[in-house]
Amino acid sequence: EYSERDARHALDRLFRRERKNLIRYLERHVGRELAPDLVQEVFLRAASSSQIVSLANPRAFLRRVAHNV
């Protein structure tokens, strides 16, 4: 089981790895101006999710959160 610290580190790595992909994804859906702000919202929501410590597919999880933002 992951500790809270492990989860924060994992989220930080995930953010660094997936940020550009999420921006592109959101640009297609909401436009270039809103995408960076919505990416921040996606990661805030992801950070508060209890699922973050046990994700089998983190990229798909972030896409689902982005879709729901």
Side-chain angles (χ1 to χ4, degrees):
E1 186 170 308
Y2 288 105
S3 71
E4 185 177 329
R5 182 177 177 193
D6 292 336
R8 276 195 291 247
H9 285 288
L11 183 62
D12 182 59
R13 287 190 306 274
L14 184 60
F15 178 80
R16 292 171 191 274
R17 189 175 68 229
E18 296 296 331
R19 184 176 182 276
K20 288 180 184 179
N21 291 329
L22 280 174
I23 286 175
R24 284 193 293 269
Y25 173 81
L26 287 167
E27 282 176 347
R28 290 192 302 269
H29 291 58
V30 299
R32 205 166 213 181
E33 289 185 21
L34 292 176
D37 289 337
L38 289 179
V39 167
Q40 292 296 329
E41 180 65 24
V42 167
F43 279 92
L44 286 173
R45 290 184 186 194
S48 66
S49 172
S50 61
Q51 296 175 25
I52 198 69
V53 296
S54 61
L55 294 176
N57 189 338
R59 188 178 204 185
F61 174 76
L62 291 178
R63 286 277 174 106
R64 174 56 55 193
V65 174
H67 178 79
N68 292 330
V69 166

